[in-house]
C-alpha cells in the first residue's frame, strides 16, 4: 500500500457550511477528549500536527473534513459530545450540527465511534451507536488509549462492548504507540471503496 496523506480541506461551523456531500466519507465521533484529533494526526503519520490536540476537553468545535489521497475520500472529525463545561446552548448547537451532518451526507459510509478503552460503556456512547444504527450507518468501534489498557483487561473490555455492538468487533487503537493504525486504515479503505 502506498502511504496515505491527509490534508485539511474544509471546516464547517454551521449547517450551511456542510460540504462534499457527494464524496465518500467516514466520520469520527466520540465523547470529548477521547482522542479523535490525536487519531487523525497518528493515522496521517506526520510530525507536523494536522488536528489540534488538547488535554482540555471541547477543543474541536467544528466539523473538519480531511481529504485522503490516494482515494480522494474524506475522514471527517466531528466535535466531541458530552462535554459538560460549556453552555447548554453551545452544546445544543454542536449536537444539531453533528446530527445534520449524519443525516444529510448521503455518501457517509460509516461512523468510527471512538470509545475510551478504560471506561465501561457509557449511556451517551450507547445512544450514539443506537442513533447510527437507526440511520443505517455502519459503526466501526475504536477503543482508544489502548496503551492504558493492559492485555489482561482486554478480553473483558471487548466482551462488554460486543454485547452492545454484536458482530462489529472493536479495534484497539493507541496514538501513543501506533497500535491499530494499519487495521484502522484497512477498515477505512474497505468502507470507502466503491
Ligand atoms: P475534543 O476535540 O475535545 O473533542 O477531544 P479529542 O477527542 O479530539 O481528543 P484529543 O485528541 O485532543 O486528546 C485528548 C487528550 O487525550 C490529550 O491530552 C491527548 O494527549 C490524550 N490522548 C490522545 N490519544 C491518546 C492515546 O492514544 N493514549 C493516551 N494515553 N492518551 C491519549
Ligand atoms: Mg478534537
Amino acid at each position: 500500500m502506498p502511504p496515505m496523506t491527509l490534508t485539511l480541506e474544509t471546516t464547517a461551523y454551521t449547517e450551511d457550511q456542510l460540504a462534499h456531500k457527494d464524496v465518500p466519507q467516514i466520520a469520527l465521533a466520540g465523547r470529548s477528549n477521547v482522542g479523535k484529533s490525536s487519531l487523525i494526526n497518528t493515522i496521517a503519520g506526520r510530525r507536523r500536527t494536522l488536528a489540534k490536540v488538547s488535554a482540555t476537553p471541547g477543543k474541536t468545535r467544528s466539523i473538519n473534513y480531511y481529504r485522503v489521497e490516494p482515494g480522494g475520500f474524506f475522514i471527517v472529525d466531528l466535535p466531541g459530545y458530552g462535554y459538560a463545561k460549556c453552555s447548554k446552548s453551545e452544546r445544543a448547537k454542536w449536537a444539531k450540527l453533528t446530527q445534520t451532518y449524519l443525516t444529510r451526507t448521503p455518501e457517509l459510509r460509516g461512523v468510527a465511534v471512538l470509545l475510551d478503552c478504560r471506561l465501561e460503556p457509557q449511556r451517551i456512547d450507547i445512544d450514539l451507536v443506537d442513533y447510527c444504527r437507526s440511520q443505517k450507518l455502519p459503526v466501526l468501534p475504536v477503543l482508544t488509549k489502548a496503551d492504558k489498557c493492559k492485555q489482561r483487561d482486554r478480553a473483558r473490555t471487548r466482551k462488554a462492548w460486543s454485547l452492545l455492538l454484536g458482530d462489529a468487533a472493536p479495534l484497539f487503537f493507541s496514538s501513543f504507540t501506533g497500535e491499530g493504525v494499519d487495521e484502522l486504515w484497512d477498515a477505512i479503505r474497505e468502507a470507502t471503496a466503491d
Side-chain angles (χ1 to χ4, degrees), residues 27-63:
L28 302 182
R31 62 176 49 236
S32 210
N33 216 236
V34 73
K36 296 176 296 302
S37 298
S38 299
L39 178 144
I40 293 270
N41 292 328
T42 302
I43 66 172
R46 295 200 338 201
R47 285 180 65 192
R48 191 164 71 79
T49 348
L50 267 176
K52 288 193 195 97
V53 169
S54 169
T56 318
K59 187 72 191 171
T60 310
R61 300 184 172 204
S62 51
I63 292 185

PDB file of all heavy atoms in Angstrom, residues 27-63:
ATOM      1  N   ALA A  27     -16.850   9.240   9.219  1.00  0.00           N
ATOM      2  CA  ALA A  27     -16.828  10.245  10.287  1.00  0.00           C
ATOM      3  C   ALA A  27     -16.198   9.651  11.548  1.00  0.00           C
ATOM      4  O   ALA A  27     -16.300   8.445  11.796  1.00  0.00           O
ATOM      5  CB  ALA A  27     -18.245  10.706  10.584  1.00  0.00           C
ATOM      6  N   LEU A  28     -15.569  10.521  12.321  1.00  0.00           N
ATOM      7  CA  LEU A  28     -15.036  10.128  13.635  1.00  0.00           C
ATOM      8  C   LEU A  28     -15.896  10.784  14.694  1.00  0.00           C
ATOM      9  O   LEU A  28     -15.988  12.012  14.741  1.00  0.00           O
ATOM     10  CB  LEU A  28     -13.615  10.635  13.830  1.00  0.00           C
ATOM     11  CG  LEU A  28     -12.542  10.219  12.847  1.00  0.00           C
ATOM     12  CD1 LEU A  28     -11.206  10.816  13.291  1.00  0.00           C
ATOM     13  CD2 LEU A  28     -12.433   8.703  12.807  1.00  0.00           C
ATOM     14  N   ALA A  29     -16.515   9.962  15.534  1.00  0.00           N
ATOM     15  CA  ALA A  29     -17.363  10.526  16.576  1.00  0.00           C
ATOM     16  C   ALA A  29     -16.951   9.950  17.916  1.00  0.00           C
ATOM     17  O   ALA A  29     -16.425   8.839  18.000  1.00  0.00           O
ATOM     18  CB  ALA A  29     -18.826  10.202  16.292  1.00  0.00           C
ATOM     19  N   GLY A  30     -17.196  10.698  18.964  1.00  0.00           N
ATOM     20  CA  GLY A  30     -16.865  10.198  20.288  1.00  0.00           C
ATOM     21  C   GLY A  30     -16.884  11.322  21.284  1.00  0.00           C
ATOM     22  O   GLY A  30     -16.868  12.503  20.915  1.00  0.00           O
ATOM     23  N   ARG A  31     -16.918  10.946  22.561  1.00  0.00           N
ATOM     24  CA  ARG A  31     -17.002  11.976  23.594  1.00  0.00           C
ATOM     25  C   ARG A  31     -15.752  12.852  23.547  1.00  0.00           C
ATOM     26  O   ARG A  31     -14.703  12.458  23.058  1.00  0.00           O
ATOM     27  CB  ARG A  31     -17.202  11.354  24.959  1.00  0.00           C
ATOM     28  CG  ARG A  31     -16.057  10.465  25.371  1.00  0.00           C
ATOM     29  CD  ARG A  31     -16.239   9.940  26.788  1.00  0.00           C
ATOM     30  NE  ARG A  31     -17.552   9.380  26.988  1.00  0.00           N
ATOM     31  CZ  ARG A  31     -18.401   9.785  27.940  1.00  0.00           C
ATOM     32  NH1 ARG A  31     -18.082  10.749  28.755  1.00  0.00           N
ATOM     33  NH2 ARG A  31     -19.560   9.203  28.076  1.00  0.00           N
ATOM     34  N   SER A  32     -15.925  14.027  24.075  1.00  0.00           N
ATOM     35  CA  SER A  32     -14.843  14.974  24.138  1.00  0.00           C
ATOM     36  C   SER A  32     -13.656  14.362  24.871  1.00  0.00           C
ATOM     37  O   SER A  32     -13.847  13.664  25.868  1.00  0.00           O
ATOM     38  CB  SER A  32     -15.354  16.189  24.904  1.00  0.00           C
ATOM     39  OG  SER A  32     -14.719  17.316  24.457  1.00  0.00           O
ATOM     40  N   ASN A  33     -12.446  14.579  24.353  1.00  0.00           N
ATOM     41  CA  ASN A  33     -11.231  14.108  24.999  1.00  0.00           C
ATOM     42  C   ASN A  33     -10.915  12.624  24.773  1.00  0.00           C
ATOM     43  O   ASN A  33      -9.954  12.097  25.324  1.00  0.00           O
ATOM     44  CB  ASN A  33     -11.289  14.401  26.510  1.00  0.00           C
ATOM     45  CG  ASN A  33      -9.934  14.777  27.064  1.00  0.00           C
ATOM     46  OD1 ASN A  33      -9.444  14.157  27.988  1.00  0.00           O
ATOM     47  ND2 ASN A  33      -9.306  15.768  26.490  1.00  0.00           N
ATOM     48  N   VAL A  34     -11.706  11.942  23.943  1.00  0.00           N
ATOM     49  CA  VAL A  34     -11.485  10.503  23.754  1.00  0.00           C
ATOM     50  C   VAL A  34     -10.267  10.234  22.865  1.00  0.00           C
ATOM     51  O   VAL A  34      -9.731   9.119  22.842  1.00  0.00           O
ATOM     52  CB  VAL A  34     -12.764   9.829  23.188  1.00  0.00           C
ATOM     53  CG1 VAL A  34     -12.992  10.185  21.724  1.00  0.00           C
ATOM     54  CG2 VAL A  34     -12.745   8.329  23.381  1.00  0.00           C
ATOM     55  N   GLY A  35      -9.840  11.279  22.122  1.00  0.00           N
ATOM     56  CA  GLY A  35      -8.640  11.111  21.292  1.00  0.00           C
ATOM     57  C   GLY A  35      -8.893  11.162  19.790  1.00  0.00           C
ATOM     58  O   GLY A  35      -8.103  10.616  19.015  1.00  0.00           O
ATOM     59  N   LYS A  36      -9.960  11.841  19.363  1.00  0.00           N
ATOM     60  CA  LYS A  36     -10.281  11.907  17.926  1.00  0.00           C
ATOM     61  C   LYS A  36      -9.211  12.654  17.132  1.00  0.00           C
ATOM     62  O   LYS A  36      -8.731  12.175  16.113  1.00  0.00           O
ATOM     63  CB  LYS A  36     -11.643  12.595  17.695  1.00  0.00           C
ATOM     64  CG  LYS A  36     -12.807  11.829  18.297  1.00  0.00           C
ATOM     65  CD  LYS A  36     -14.118  12.583  18.141  1.00  0.00           C
ATOM     66  CE  LYS A  36     -14.166  13.894  18.891  1.00  0.00           C
ATOM     67  NZ  LYS A  36     -13.942  13.769  20.356  1.00  0.00           N
ATOM     68  N   SER A  37      -8.848  13.847  17.625  1.00  0.00           N
ATOM     69  CA  SER A  37      -7.872  14.645  16.880  1.00  0.00           C
ATOM     70  C   SER A  37      -6.496  13.977  16.900  1.00  0.00           C
ATOM     71  O   SER A  37      -5.773  14.003  15.903  1.00  0.00           O
ATOM     72  CB  SER A  37      -7.811  16.070  17.443  1.00  0.00           C
ATOM     73  OG  SER A  37      -9.077  16.703  17.285  1.00  0.00           O
ATOM     74  N   SER A  38      -6.154  13.354  18.012  1.00  0.00           N
ATOM     75  CA  SER A  38      -4.881  12.618  18.083  1.00  0.00           C
ATOM     76  C   SER A  38      -4.861  11.490  17.066  1.00  0.00           C
ATOM     77  O   SER A  38      -3.840  11.222  16.432  1.00  0.00           O
ATOM     78  CB  SER A  38      -4.682  12.024  19.477  1.00  0.00           C
ATOM     79  OG  SER A  38      -4.649  13.033  20.447  1.00  0.00           O
ATOM     80  N   LEU A  39      -5.991  10.824  16.910  1.00  0.00           N
ATOM     81  CA  LEU A  39      -6.082   9.721  15.952  1.00  0.00           C
ATOM     82  C   LEU A  39      -5.839  10.234  14.532  1.00  0.00           C
ATOM     83  O   LEU A  39      -5.110   9.607  13.756  1.00  0.00           O
ATOM     84  CB  LEU A  39      -7.445   9.035  16.086  1.00  0.00           C
ATOM     85  CG  LEU A  39      -7.743   7.880  15.137  1.00  0.00           C
ATOM     86  CD1 LEU A  39      -8.557   6.805  15.845  1.00  0.00           C
ATOM     87  CD2 LEU A  39      -8.492   8.342  13.892  1.00  0.00           C
ATOM     88  N   ILE A  40      -6.416  11.387  14.205  1.00  0.00           N
ATOM     89  CA  ILE A  40      -6.192  11.984  12.877  1.00  0.00           C
ATOM     90  C   ILE A  40      -4.693  12.185  12.656  1.00  0.00           C
ATOM     91  O   ILE A  40      -4.143  11.804  11.621  1.00  0.00           O
ATOM     92  CB  ILE A  40      -6.901  13.362  12.774  1.00  0.00           C
ATOM     93  CG1 ILE A  40      -8.415  13.205  12.810  1.00  0.00           C
ATOM     94  CG2 ILE A  40      -6.434  14.151  11.541  1.00  0.00           C
ATOM     95  CD1 ILE A  40      -9.075  13.021  11.486  1.00  0.00           C
ATOM     96  N   ASN A  41      -4.033  12.793  13.631  1.00  0.00           N
ATOM     97  CA  ASN A  41      -2.597  13.058  13.487  1.00  0.00           C
ATOM     98  C   ASN A  41      -1.813  11.752  13.357  1.00  0.00           C
ATOM     99  O   ASN A  41      -0.880  11.654  12.571  1.00  0.00           O
ATOM    100  CB  ASN A  41      -2.081  13.850  14.688  1.00  0.00           C
ATOM    101  CG  ASN A  41      -2.644  15.259  14.719  1.00  0.00           C
ATOM    102  OD1 ASN A  41      -2.906  15.850  13.674  1.00  0.00           O
ATOM    103  ND2 ASN A  41      -2.847  15.794  15.905  1.00  0.00           N
ATOM    104  N   THR A  42      -2.211  10.752  14.127  1.00  0.00           N
ATOM    105  CA  THR A  42      -1.483   9.485  14.121  1.00  0.00           C
ATOM    106  C   THR A  42      -1.634   8.750  12.799  1.00  0.00           C
ATOM    107  O   THR A  42      -0.649   8.279  12.238  1.00  0.00           O
ATOM    108  CB  THR A  42      -1.968   8.592  15.284  1.00  0.00           C
ATOM    109  OG1 THR A  42      -1.776   9.305  16.487  1.00  0.00           O
ATOM    110  CG2 THR A  42      -1.204   7.283  15.336  1.00  0.00           C
ATOM    111  N   ILE A  43      -2.856   8.683  12.291  1.00  0.00           N
ATOM    112  CA  ILE A  43      -3.006   7.934  11.036  1.00  0.00           C
ATOM    113  C   ILE A  43      -2.427   8.719   9.862  1.00  0.00           C
ATOM    114  O   ILE A  43      -2.081   8.153   8.844  1.00  0.00           O
ATOM    115  CB  ILE A  43      -4.459   7.466  10.754  1.00  0.00           C
ATOM    116  CG1 ILE A  43      -5.396   8.642  10.525  1.00  0.00           C
ATOM    117  CG2 ILE A  43      -4.967   6.560  11.862  1.00  0.00           C
ATOM    118  CD1 ILE A  43      -6.781   8.189  10.056  1.00  0.00           C
ATOM    119  N   ALA A  44      -2.305  10.050  10.032  1.00  0.00           N
ATOM    120  CA  ALA A  44      -1.662  10.845   8.986  1.00  0.00           C
ATOM    121  C   ALA A  44      -0.152  10.596   8.999  1.00  0.00           C
ATOM    122  O   ALA A  44       0.521  10.865   8.007  1.00  0.00           O
ATOM    123  CB  ALA A  44      -1.953  12.325   9.187  1.00  0.00           C
ATOM    124  N   GLY A  45       0.351  10.098  10.137  1.00  0.00           N
ATOM    125  CA  GLY A  45       1.760   9.731  10.225  1.00  0.00           C
ATOM    126  C   GLY A  45       2.696  10.893   9.981  1.00  0.00           C
ATOM    127  O   GLY A  45       3.786  10.734   9.460  1.00  0.00           O
ATOM    128  N   ARG A  46       2.245  12.089  10.331  1.00  0.00           N
ATOM    129  CA  ARG A  46       3.091  13.257  10.076  1.00  0.00           C
ATOM    130  C   ARG A  46       3.516  13.880  11.382  1.00  0.00           C
ATOM    131  O   ARG A  46       2.772  13.885  12.350  1.00  0.00           O
ATOM    132  CB  ARG A  46       2.311  14.289   9.264  1.00  0.00           C
ATOM    133  CG  ARG A  46       1.988  13.772   7.905  1.00  0.00           C
ATOM    134  CD  ARG A  46       1.657  14.829   6.915  1.00  0.00           C
ATOM    135  NE  ARG A  46       1.220  16.083   7.493  1.00  0.00           N
ATOM    136  CZ  ARG A  46       0.516  16.963   6.802  1.00  0.00           C
ATOM    137  NH1 ARG A  46       0.181  16.714   5.573  1.00  0.00           N
ATOM    138  NH2 ARG A  46       0.153  18.102   7.351  1.00  0.00           N
ATOM    139  N   ARG A  47       4.696  14.429  11.379  1.00  0.00           N
ATOM    140  CA  ARG A  47       5.143  15.072  12.614  1.00  0.00           C
ATOM    141  C   ARG A  47       4.491  16.429  12.776  1.00  0.00           C
ATOM    142  O   ARG A  47       4.213  16.856  13.877  1.00  0.00           O
ATOM    143  CB  ARG A  47       6.663  15.163  12.646  1.00  0.00           C
ATOM    144  CG  ARG A  47       7.249  13.786  12.945  1.00  0.00           C
ATOM    145  CD  ARG A  47       8.733  13.780  12.991  1.00  0.00           C
ATOM    146  NE  ARG A  47       9.259  14.575  14.071  1.00  0.00           N
ATOM    147  CZ  ARG A  47      10.539  14.898  14.161  1.00  0.00           C
ATOM    148  NH1 ARG A  47      11.380  14.492  13.241  1.00  0.00           N
ATOM    149  NH2 ARG A  47      10.971  15.618  15.168  1.00  0.00           N
ATOM    150  N   ARG A  48       4.234  17.088  11.648  1.00  0.00           N
ATOM    151  CA  ARG A  48       3.546  18.365  11.756  1.00  0.00           C
ATOM    152  C   ARG A  48       2.082  18.065  12.100  1.00  0.00           C
ATOM    153  O   ARG A  48       1.456  17.216  11.466  1.00  0.00           O
ATOM    154  CB  ARG A  48       3.608  19.110  10.418  1.00  0.00           C
ATOM    155  CG  ARG A  48       3.145  20.545  10.532  1.00  0.00           C
ATOM    156  CD  ARG A  48       3.605  21.308   9.298  1.00  0.00           C
ATOM    157  NE  ARG A  48       2.868  20.894   8.107  1.00  0.00           N
ATOM    158  CZ  ARG A  48       1.641  21.319   7.821  1.00  0.00           C
ATOM    159  NH1 ARG A  48       1.013  22.124   8.620  1.00  0.00           N
ATOM    160  NH2 ARG A  48       1.046  20.912   6.719  1.00  0.00           N
ATOM    161  N   THR A  49       1.583  18.747  13.112  1.00  0.00           N
ATOM    162  CA  THR A  49       0.238  18.424  13.572  1.00  0.00           C
ATOM    163  C   THR A  49      -0.805  18.964  12.612  1.00  0.00           C
ATOM    164  O   THR A  49      -0.757  20.101  12.193  1.00  0.00           O
ATOM    165  CB  THR A  49      -0.026  19.054  14.949  1.00  0.00           C
ATOM    166  OG1 THR A  49       1.182  19.518  15.463  1.00  0.00           O
ATOM    167  CG2 THR A  49      -0.640  18.083  15.860  1.00  0.00           C
ATOM    168  N   LEU A  50      -1.765  18.101  12.324  1.00  0.00           N
ATOM    169  CA  LEU A  50      -2.879  18.485  11.453  1.00  0.00           C
ATOM    170  C   LEU A  50      -4.041  18.980  12.294  1.00  0.00           C
ATOM    171  O   LEU A  50      -4.600  20.031  12.074  1.00  0.00           O
ATOM    172  CB  LEU A  50      -3.374  17.239  10.718  1.00  0.00           C
ATOM    173  CG  LEU A  50      -2.844  16.881   9.357  1.00  0.00           C
ATOM    174  CD1 LEU A  50      -3.448  15.546   8.962  1.00  0.00           C
ATOM    175  CD2 LEU A  50      -3.200  17.942   8.344  1.00  0.00           C
ATOM    176  N   ALA A  51      -4.403  18.162  13.290  1.00  0.00           N
ATOM    177  CA  ALA A  51      -5.578  18.452  14.115  1.00  0.00           C
ATOM    178  C   ALA A  51      -5.115  18.890  15.501  1.00  0.00           C
ATOM    179  O   ALA A  51      -4.155  18.342  16.037  1.00  0.00           O
ATOM    180  CB  ALA A  51      -6.443  17.208  14.228  1.00  0.00           C
ATOM    181  N   LYS A  52      -5.782  19.872  16.060  1.00  0.00           N
ATOM    182  CA  LYS A  52      -5.390  20.372  17.387  1.00  0.00           C
ATOM    183  C   LYS A  52      -5.770  19.393  18.480  1.00  0.00           C
ATOM    184  O   LYS A  52      -6.907  18.950  18.568  1.00  0.00           O
ATOM    185  CB  LYS A  52      -6.068  21.719  17.664  1.00  0.00           C
ATOM    186  CG  LYS A  52      -5.478  22.840  16.848  1.00  0.00           C
ATOM    187  CD  LYS A  52      -5.970  24.182  17.398  1.00  0.00           C
ATOM    188  CE  LYS A  52      -5.714  25.288  16.397  1.00  0.00           C
ATOM    189  NZ  LYS A  52      -6.877  25.602  15.563  1.00  0.00           N
ATOM    190  N   VAL A  53      -4.774  19.086  19.306  1.00  0.00           N
ATOM    191  CA  VAL A  53      -4.966  18.142  20.414  1.00  0.00           C
ATOM    192  C   VAL A  53      -4.888  18.942  21.706  1.00  0.00           C
ATOM    193  O   VAL A  53      -4.098  19.880  21.805  1.00  0.00           O
ATOM    194  CB  VAL A  53      -3.849  17.075  20.393  1.00  0.00           C
ATOM    195  CG1 VAL A  53      -3.843  16.253  21.648  1.00  0.00           C
ATOM    196  CG2 VAL A  53      -4.020  16.180  19.174  1.00  0.00           C
ATOM    197  N   SER A  54      -5.714  18.586  22.676  1.00  0.00           N
ATOM    198  CA  SER A  54      -5.663  19.319  23.931  1.00  0.00           C
ATOM    199  C   SER A  54      -6.062  18.453  25.099  1.00  0.00           C
ATOM    200  O   SER A  54      -6.925  17.582  24.982  1.00  0.00           O
ATOM    201  CB  SER A  54      -6.617  20.511  23.851  1.00  0.00           C
ATOM    202  OG  SER A  54      -6.780  21.076  25.120  1.00  0.00           O
ATOM    203  N   ALA A  55      -5.419  18.700  26.236  1.00  0.00           N
ATOM    204  CA  ALA A  55      -5.790  17.987  27.458  1.00  0.00           C
ATOM    205  C   ALA A  55      -7.129  18.515  27.989  1.00  0.00           C
ATOM    206  O   ALA A  55      -7.786  17.875  28.796  1.00  0.00           O
ATOM    207  CB  ALA A  55      -4.708  18.156  28.504  1.00  0.00           C
ATOM    208  N   THR A  56      -7.530  19.693  27.521  1.00  0.00           N
ATOM    209  CA  THR A  56      -8.815  20.264  27.942  1.00  0.00           C
ATOM    210  C   THR A  56      -9.893  19.807  26.969  1.00  0.00           C
ATOM    211  O   THR A  56      -9.767  20.037  25.767  1.00  0.00           O
ATOM    212  CB  THR A  56      -8.756  21.810  27.887  1.00  0.00           C
ATOM    213  OG1 THR A  56      -7.504  22.214  28.416  1.00  0.00           O
ATOM    214  CG2 THR A  56      -9.895  22.432  28.644  1.00  0.00           C
ATOM    215  N   PRO A  57     -10.940  19.165  27.472  1.00  0.00           N
ATOM    216  CA  PRO A  57     -11.988  18.691  26.556  1.00  0.00           C
ATOM    217  C   PRO A  57     -12.673  19.851  25.845  1.00  0.00           C
ATOM    218  O   PRO A  57     -12.687  20.974  26.344  1.00  0.00           O
ATOM    219  CB  PRO A  57     -12.979  17.975  27.472  1.00  0.00           C
ATOM    220  CG  PRO A  57     -12.303  17.799  28.773  1.00  0.00           C
ATOM    221  CD  PRO A  57     -11.235  18.835  28.866  1.00  0.00           C
ATOM    222  N   GLY A  58     -13.246  19.553  24.688  1.00  0.00           N
ATOM    223  CA  GLY A  58     -14.006  20.566  23.964  1.00  0.00           C
ATOM    224  C   GLY A  58     -13.153  21.373  23.007  1.00  0.00           C
ATOM    225  O   GLY A  58     -13.491  22.479  22.627  1.00  0.00           O
ATOM    226  N   LYS A  59     -12.025  20.804  22.591  1.00  0.00           N
ATOM    227  CA  LYS A  59     -11.105  21.538  21.709  1.00  0.00           C
ATOM    228  C   LYS A  59     -11.691  21.677  20.297  1.00  0.00           C
ATOM    229  O   LYS A  59     -11.676  22.758  19.734  1.00  0.00           O
ATOM    230  CB  LYS A  59      -9.770  20.793  21.655  1.00  0.00           C
ATOM    231  CG  LYS A  59      -8.700  21.540  20.912  1.00  0.00           C
ATOM    232  CD  LYS A  59      -8.224  22.718  21.726  1.00  0.00           C
ATOM    233  CE  LYS A  59      -7.338  23.637  20.910  1.00  0.00           C
ATOM    234  NZ  LYS A  59      -7.079  24.876  21.662  1.00  0.00           N
ATOM    235  N   THR A  60     -12.172  20.586  19.749  1.00  0.00           N
ATOM    236  CA  THR A  60     -12.682  20.622  18.376  1.00  0.00           C
ATOM    237  C   THR A  60     -14.149  21.023  18.403  1.00  0.00           C
ATOM    238  O   THR A  60     -14.986  20.305  18.945  1.00  0.00           O
ATOM    239  CB  THR A  60     -12.493  19.244  17.699  1.00  0.00           C
ATOM    240  OG1 THR A  60     -11.153  18.830  17.887  1.00  0.00           O
ATOM    241  CG2 THR A  60     -12.811  19.316  16.219  1.00  0.00           C
ATOM    242  N   ARG A  61     -14.436  22.201  17.835  1.00  0.00           N
ATOM    243  CA  ARG A  61     -15.801  22.720  17.907  1.00  0.00           C
ATOM    244  C   ARG A  61     -16.421  22.858  16.542  1.00  0.00           C
ATOM    245  O   ARG A  61     -17.443  23.523  16.358  1.00  0.00           O
ATOM    246  CB  ARG A  61     -15.803  24.070  18.612  1.00  0.00           C
ATOM    247  CG  ARG A  61     -15.261  23.928  20.021  1.00  0.00           C
ATOM    248  CD  ARG A  61     -15.318  25.179  20.799  1.00  0.00           C
ATOM    249  NE  ARG A  61     -14.950  24.902  22.176  1.00  0.00           N
ATOM    250  CZ  ARG A  61     -15.315  25.654  23.192  1.00  0.00           C
ATOM    251  NH1 ARG A  61     -16.070  26.701  23.000  1.00  0.00           N
ATOM    252  NH2 ARG A  61     -14.936  25.341  24.406  1.00  0.00           N
ATOM    253  N   SER A  62     -15.776  22.278  15.564  1.00  0.00           N
ATOM    254  CA  SER A  62     -16.276  22.391  14.201  1.00  0.00           C
ATOM    255  C   SER A  62     -16.195  21.016  13.556  1.00  0.00           C
ATOM    256  O   SER A  62     -15.601  20.090  14.120  1.00  0.00           O
ATOM    257  CB  SER A  62     -15.416  23.382  13.428  1.00  0.00           C
ATOM    258  OG  SER A  62     -14.055  23.039  13.592  1.00  0.00           O
ATOM    259  N   ILE A  63     -16.775  20.901  12.363  1.00  0.00           N
ATOM    260  CA  ILE A  63     -16.647  19.672  11.586  1.00  0.00           C
ATOM    261  C   ILE A  63     -15.497  19.876  10.609  1.00  0.00           C
ATOM    262  O   ILE A  63     -15.502  20.835   9.834  1.00  0.00           O
ATOM    263  CB  ILE A  63     -17.981  19.375  10.859  1.00  0.00           C
ATOM    264  CG1 ILE A  63     -19.038  19.008  11.913  1.00  0.00           C
ATOM    265  CG2 ILE A  63     -17.802  18.277   9.829  1.00  0.00           C
ATOM    266  CD1 ILE A  63     -20.368  18.570  11.351  1.00  0.00           C
TER     267      ILE A  63
END
